[in-house]
Amino acid sequence: MLTTPLLLLCVATCLSPTASVTDRSKANLQPQVKLRTWEQAIAMAKSFIGQLTLQEKCHLTAGVSGTCAGNIASLPRVNFSGFCLLDTPSGVGDGVLYSTAFVSGIHIAGTWDRDLFYRRAVAIGKEFRGKGVHYALGPMVNIDRNARHGRNWEGFGSDPYLSGENAFFYTQGVQDQGVVTTAKHYICNEQDTHRSGVMKGANDAVVYSANLDDKTMHEIYLWPFASSVVAGAGSIMCSANEINDTRACQNNQTQNGLLKGELGYMGNILTDWMGSKSTVDPVLSGLDIDMPGNDGYMGDTLVAFVQNGSIPESRIDDMATRIIAPYYLVGQDQDYPTLDLDRDAMENNYLVNREASRAGMILLKNVNNILPLNSSINTNIYIYGQAAGQTNCGLEQTSWNANCGGALYQGGGSGFVRPAYALDPLTALMQKGRDDRLQIRYIANQNDFISINRTFSDRGFQNAKCLVFISAWSEEGIDRTDLYAFANGEQLVLTVAQNCRQTIVLVNSVSQLNLERWVDHPNVVGVLWTGMPGSEYGPALVDILFEGVFLDYRHFDKYNITPRYYFGYGLSYTSFSFGKLEISQANDDDKNSPASLYKQRRMRPYNNFSDSGLYDPVYTIKCTVKNTGNYYGSEVAQLYLGFPVQAQEPPKILRGFERVYLEPNESREVALVLTRKDVSYWNVVNQQCATVVEVQDADVGVDQFDPENDDRNAMELIKNGSGPSVMVVYYPNNSGQQSA
Ligand SMILES: *[C@@H]1O[C@H](CO)[C@@H](O)[C@H](O)[C@H]1NC(C)=O
Ligand SMILES: *[C@@H]1O[C@H](CO)[C@@H](O)[C@H](O)[C@H]1NC(C)=O
Ligand SMILES: *[C@@H]1O[C@H](CO)[C@@H](O)[C@H](O)[C@H]1NC(C)=O
Ligand SMILES: *[C@@H]1O[C@H](CO)[C@@H](O)[C@H](O)[C@H]1NC(C)=O
Ligand SMILES: *[C@@H]1O[C@H](CO)[C@@H](O)[C@H](O)[C@H]1NC(C)=O
Ligand SMILES: *[C@@H]1O[C@H](CO)[C@@H](O)[C@H](O)[C@H]1NC(C)=O
Ligand SMILES: *[C@@H]1O[C@H](CO)[C@@H](O)[C@H](O)[C@H]1NC(C)=O
Ligand SMILES: *[C@@H]1O[C@H](CO)[C@@H](O)[C@H](O)[C@H]1NC(C)=O
Ligand SMILES: *[C@@H]1O[C@H](CO)[C@@H](O)[C@H](O)[C@H]1NC(C)=O
Ligand SMILES: *[C@@H]1O[C@H](CO)[C@@H](O)[C@H](O)[C@H]1NC(C)=O
């Protein structure tokens, strides 16, 4: 074990608008159904499959045709009514009626708020349960390593730790409602172009292969899947690509080795749709279910393979057990609703959706506090851009091409939720205008520069605020070809900015967008990243724009690049101070200690924490955050670790965060907990997680730090010696462009 210093870096920089507009209901942290442990669920599953014939067991291992995207057949003889599997990660998809389009994965990750991760997942889980759906085909936990990946919007961004925390609380929130989660796409599915292959002959598609080393696998791509397993996920979807030149769904190293072996995963592995291409290799490599199942590779076909000895019956029993156990695990045997895909179970989920929509929007530029707008003074408003209003082609995923226009609530593909309704910004601003007596004009056709130009000589235009809406779309199956806005959005921004001194740009984008062509224009005084904000986009945006709610490294660090907006960046309408840093060994004897609360918050009967102690808390880091401004607002304390050189890590790695909501002058202590895994790295020599800090190290802790007595903008306190080194970076005026 290494005892070289560990560098802790605690950054307080990410501030995004959050309103005091609605009461923040405290997360209900209790499951709503009777849940079981894996041991109990497996025992019940074994008892159930004990009654089954070989044929019946095999029958469970492939999907059949039916009303859902994936259907596990019923077995009437034993009164088993089968399972329904449905998309998406962010709401009930596949075109059902009465469904909420929730903020997408990338948007919820941008809130940095675990309570919201959980409460959004609870609402999603309730809609699946309410319709009688057994499996939600999410979360999507692939890493945003490629800005153009068509599915980035479904996932939780570029950081494994942030993705892992999202995966954990998504799994918990949804499974607490009795719905099985399916973490996907296992593994290394970070691009969509060529994911299903380039045809070389009729049945000979060559898919791309992700070839990578163990360290990268463990520390980046496997991390959020591990978090899903620990959280107790009942199902995991293998991907269509190859890893080291072997298909994911027949990859013994990744399925039997990493997932079922090293991580101790007890649930089933099902294919991405048409992701498997044979019988024996996939089954012996750990695949349990073939979806959608009409290819004849598994299911009834397996009987003959067992009879001639190609596949042992014990493996079929294992598959059947893994297929049935999650059903008992999350209590689907107890009063589970019958299947009715069009049942309305939306309840008041719009409230949490609106809160998440707001909280995930990120303020990137705010010159002279142009935002929030004061509706008593800023009464004259001009709105430009097709992305402000509804699409011309209906709320269909296929409709969002540049010609259809319209605000984007989510991206496209199987992850798209066709919402029961969706509120666009233009509608919400018009309503605000009626209520607050605003003067509003708009031009939605962003190619009509004659009309656009004409507005610049309107009466009263000189004092107007100009809101310019731009968007960028992507979808499953194909990656983006560039990182620019739809329909010449850049030209629209520049044209308006040339003429309007108070131009505010609203960026409604699936993932990364290149803003460089216009962001430094002196008349662009405000930029708000509205992300993939779900059905409540319009109202959430109005909350941010007017109501004073207030409110994103590794590669950049290594190559010493200063990005335009560093990971974790986001401005606030208020300001914060940050201090009293304290480090101590974790103590979970006291039930109210941060370490103990950390564990309690994660505990469920269906968890599968490994026995290795990797998830035990080892350190507690406390600091105090104070709202020093005049507005209610929120701040995210972010904890970064710098590892010793032996670990061969980038300079800083995210290992903790907590979002706090504070009234003016209010301060609160934030406690961040580090687990053994958090302070470890993958040791390629002994193939284990090496812990870089000795927990027994008596020299740890009690470094205090008071920003009020130190006027440096970035303050550092480094304690040399055998204990961990500690660094606090503090940017009181949000002006720093740090590569943190
Ligand atoms: C079959 O299942 C239904 C619904 O789950 C239940 O109401 C019924 O009692 C069961 N019948 C038998 C014979 O177990
Ligand atoms: C992939 O190949 C690399 C290089 O041979 C090896 O180190 C790694 O363990 C392999 N990973 C998997 C999952 O097969
Ligand atoms: C498959 O992986 C398991 C677990 O790592 C290993 O025990 C087994 O030998 C592997 N089988 C093959 C055929 O490589
Ligand atoms: C969880 O994972 C471990 C392997 O890490 C395994 O030994 C254990 O049986 C699993 N089950 C439970 C209920 O934790
Ligand atoms: C076993 O049976 C299957 C299905 O009929 C067949 O495809 C396969 O070639 C057989 N394998 C052996 C080793 O006989
Ligand atoms: C908005 O402007 C009015 C009129 O100047 C002023 O009275 C009010 O305090 C302002 N509201 C806020 C929140 O600053
Ligand atoms: C609109 O005005 C811009 C300058 O603001 C000018 O460059 C452009 O040619 C005008 N377009 C039309 C169609 O008049
Ligand atoms: C915050 O506290 C300072 C000093 O006590 C006081 O002057 C100021 O009015 C307070 N601000 C608010 C918004 O309460
Ligand atoms: C910590 O120790 C290193 C090497 O001994 C030295 O270069 C560095 O300046 C020290 N840092 C502080 C803050 O004392
Ligand atoms: C913020 O801090 C930077 C660095 O000290 C300084 O250059 C800048 O003027 C400050 N901005 C404001 C608005 O105080």
Side-chain angles (χ1 to χ4, degrees):
M1 269 191 193
L2 297 166
T3 53
T4 30
L6 177 78
L7 179 74
L8 294 179
L9 176 71
C10 212
V11 187
T13 50
C14 172
L15 322 159
S16 73
T18 21
S20 49
V21 184
T22 54
D23 289 336
R24 281 176 42 77
S25 57
K26 251 286 160 257
N28 179 353
L29 296 176
Q30 287 315 307
Q32 301 302 296
V33 292
K34 185 176 179 301
L35 306 165
R36 299 191 179 91
T37 65
W38 277 101
E39 278 80 0
Q40 290 169 331
I42 289 167
M44 293 176 84
K46 284 187 168 155
S47 163
F48 174 81
I49 68 160
Q51 333 164 54
L52 304 186
T53 63
L54 172 63
Q55 170 107 31
E56 286 168 337
K57 286 181 278 187
C58 292
H59 200 54
L60 295 171
T61 67
V64 295
S65 60
T67 43
C68 298
N71 305 275
I72 299 289
S74 63
L75 297 172
R77 187 182 74 79
V78 291
N79 202 21
F80 171 66
S81 55
F83 301 144
C84 165
L85 288 64
L86 217 64
D87 296 290
T88 82
S90 54
V92 191
D94 300 327
V96 301
L97 306 185
Y98 305 105
S99 189
T100 301
F102 288 89
V103 305
S104 73
I106 190 73
H107 198 94
I108 193 70
T111 71
W112 298 75
D113 183 331
R114 287 183 185 84
D115 278 346
L116 267 179
F117 301 168
Y118 179 76
R119 287 189 290 129
R120 165 184 175 270
V122 165
I124 291 170
K126 282 183 170 167
E127 293 197 20
F128 277 96
R129 179 188 178 89
K131 293 171 178 297
V133 179
H134 302 88
Y135 280 53
L137 296 174
M140 188 318 217
V141 303
N142 297 119
I143 297 293
D144 181 350
R145 66 157 293 166
N146 167 8
R148 294 179 296 182
H149 182 204
R151 303 189 78 166
N152 281 338
W153 64 275
E154 296 182 60
F156 303 120
S158 60
D159 185 83
Y161 181 86
L162 185 58
S163 295
E165 290 300 289
N166 272 277
F168 188 97
F169 287 102
Y170 181 96
T171 303
Q172 191 172 78
V174 171
Q175 294 201 162
D176 278 0
Q177 312 312 308
V179 178
V180 176
T181 60
T182 313
K184 65 187 188 184
H185 310 80
Y186 188 76
I187 191 170
C188 300
N189 187 179
E190 274 74 22
Q191 73 174 53
D192 254 47
T193 296
H194 298 160
R195 70 162 189 189
S196 305
V198 180
M199 293 308 284
K200 288 198 177 166
N203 291 309
D204 187 19
V206 179
V207 299
Y208 77 82
S209 179
N211 297 353
L212 71 163
D213 61 277
D214 286 329
K215 183 174 169 70
T216 312
M217 179 64 105
H218 281 87
E219 296 181 4
I220 308 282
Y221 304 105
L222 188 63
W223 187 291
F225 286 99
S227 300
S228 304
V229 171
V230 162
S235 182
I236 287 181
M237 182 191 288
C238 55
S239 51
N241 57 282
E242 297 178 343
I243 301 99
N244 282 3
D245 303 312
T246 302
R247 282 185 181 274
C249 296
Q250 63 185 61
N251 195 309
N252 191 57
Q253 282 94 330
T254 57
Q255 296 188 139
N256 281 334
L258 295 175
L259 189 54
K260 292 181 173 177
E262 194 180 305
L263 300 181
Y265 174 59
M266 316 293 277
N268 58 63
I269 301 179
L270 54 86
T271 65
D272 197 349
W273 269 227
M274 295 163 291
S276 179
K277 304 291 174 195
S278 59
T279 298
V280 176
D281 281 355
V283 169
L284 297 184
S285 303
L287 179 65
D288 301 301
I289 306 175
D290 182 33
M291 278 295 168
N294 55 3
D295 52 26
Y297 293 130
M298 288 167 64
D300 298 343
T301 311
L302 294 183
V303 175
F305 285 86
V306 174
Q307 283 165 348
N308 73 10
S310 324
I311 294 173
E313 185 163 358
S314 61
R315 172 72 188 114
I316 304 293
D317 288 344
D318 176 47
M319 294 159 80
T321 305
R322 288 173 178 274
I323 294 165
I324 297 296
Y327 167 84
Y328 291 114
L329 185 77
V330 298
Q332 291 180 348
D333 56 324
Q334 306 156 26
D335 296 325
Y336 203 74
T338 54
L339 184 65
D340 177 357
L341 293 182
D342 297 331
R343 190 181 289 132
D344 178 359
M346 294 164 67
E347 297 182 16
N348 62 358
N349 288 341
Y350 77 92
L351 289 172
V352 70
N353 200 26
R354 180 168 172 176
E355 187 180 341
S357 188
R358 237 170 16 220
M361 290 182 187
I362 304 167
L363 185 59
L364 296 180
K365 188 172 180 183
N366 196 17
V367 177
N368 296 328
N369 298 321
I370 185 88
L371 296 175
L373 300 174
N374 182 337
S375 63
S376 331
I377 309 167
N378 309 131
T379 56
N380 191 6
I381 293 178
Y382 275 74
I383 296 169
Y384 299 92
Q386 60 184 30
Q390 293 288 3
T391 163
N392 298 324
C393 314
L395 296 173
E396 299 273 2
Q397 62 156 306
T398 47
S399 73
W400 269 287
N401 61 57
N403 297 326
C404 292
L408 305 179
Y409 307 98
Q410 292 190 338
S414 66
F416 176 81
V417 176
R418 185 179 181 185
Y421 73 88
L423 293 168
D424 60 278
L426 184 57
T427 302
L429 285 162
M430 289 294 187
Q431 189 163 358
K432 177 75 176 171
R434 180 198 63 196
D435 296 347
D436 287 15
R437 313 200 69 79
L438 306 177
Q439 162 61 46
I440 299 178
R441 290 216 161 93
Y442 75 95
I443 304 284
N445 183 343
Q446 66 192 53
N447 297 315
D448 181 3
F449 284 100
I450 295 174
S451 299
I452 291 166
N453 283 0
R454 196 179 293 137
T455 63
F456 304 146
S457 49
D458 270 6
R459 187 153 75 234
F461 181 82
Q462 291 317 314
N463 298 319
K465 301 278 179 296
C466 299
L467 306 182
V468 186
F469 289 80
I470 61 172
S471 65
W473 167 258
S474 74
E475 61 186 73
E476 182 180 350
I478 188 160
D479 298 330
R480 293 158 74 186
T481 52
D482 64 48
L483 298 176
Y484 291 104
F486 246 11
N488 285 324
E490 290 79 16
Q491 191 187 343
L492 177 69
V493 173
L494 288 170
T495 304
V496 175
Q498 269 171 44
N499 295 279
C500 181
R501 283 180 292 113
Q502 296 176 301
T503 298
I504 297 159
V505 185
L506 297 306
V507 189
N508 179 200
S509 178
V510 276
S511 59
Q512 294 89 328
L513 199 74
N514 190 326
L515 314 180
E516 294 302 315
R517 289 181 186 170
W518 51 264
V519 76
D520 282 333
H521 193 293
N523 288 346
V524 174
V525 289
V527 180
L528 182 68
W529 186 271
T530 66
M532 280 294 110
S535 320
E536 288 287 320
Y537 179 16
L541 179 67
V542 168
D543 291 345
I544 301 263
L545 288 179
F546 289 94
E547 317 222 350
V549 188
F550 307 170
L551 99 143
D552 209 303
Y553 77 100
R554 293 172 187 248
H555 174 85
F556 294 138
D557 281 359
K558 181 167 180 189
Y559 295 100
N560 208 3
I561 298 168
T562 301
R564 167 69 70 178
Y565 300 114
Y566 53 88
F567 180 78
Y569 184 94
L571 302 177
S572 174
Y573 295 156
T574 188
S575 56
F576 297 88
S577 74
F578 190 77
K580 296 201 177 126
L581 181 84
E582 199 185 299
I583 302 173
S584 59
Q585 290 186 35
N587 159 24
D588 52 11
D589 298 340
D590 173 1
K591 276 175 74 173
N592 294 318
S593 69
S596 181
L597 293 170
Y598 175 95
K599 281 171 77 172
Q600 288 167 37
R601 188 183 197 181
R602 280 157 207 258
M603 211 51 82
R604 285 295 183 274
Y606 56 80
N607 285 143
N608 187 12
F609 287 103
S610 73
D611 308 327
S612 61
L614 269 183
Y615 292 91
D616 290 343
V618 289
Y619 293 109
T620 301
I621 289 98
K622 292 180 180 171
C623 55
T624 302
V625 183
K626 180 175 182 182
N627 184 344
T628 55
N630 296 318
Y631 287 101
Y632 173 82
S634 66
E635 167 70 291
V636 181
Q638 300 165 44
L639 175 70
Y640 292 84
L641 301 190
F643 283 74
V645 288
Q646 296 92 316
Q648 297 181 28
E649 296 294 341
K652 310 176 201 81
I653 297 179
L654 180 70
R655 285 290 184 264
F657 61 88
E658 192 73 34
R659 181 163 180 163
V660 285
Y661 296 80
L662 298 170
E663 298 292 344
N665 276 356
E666 189 185 354
S667 61
R668 194 170 301 164
E669 188 180 71
V670 173
L672 305 167
V673 173
L674 288 172
T675 64
R676 188 181 308 276
K677 184 174 182 183
D678 293 333
V679 297
S680 302
Y681 69 98
W682 185 254
N683 186 316
V684 291
V685 179
N686 66 9
Q687 290 284 299
Q688 283 179 7
C689 274
T691 305
V692 294
V693 177
E694 287 278 8
V695 185
Q696 301 84 345
D697 191 337
D699 211 16
V700 170
V702 291
D703 288 322
Q704 297 242 348
F705 166 72
D706 179 6
E708 272 148 33
N709 297 321
D710 193 326
D711 60 5
R712 282 174 295 168
N713 209 32
M715 292 179 279
E716 300 183 8
L717 180 71
I718 299 178
K719 179 172 175 295
N720 273 347
S722 57
S725 300
V726 178
M727 183 193 286
V728 173
V729 179
Y730 170 60
Y731 309 112
N733 65 9
N734 306 313
S735 67
Q737 287 193 7
Q738 318 297 327
S739 54

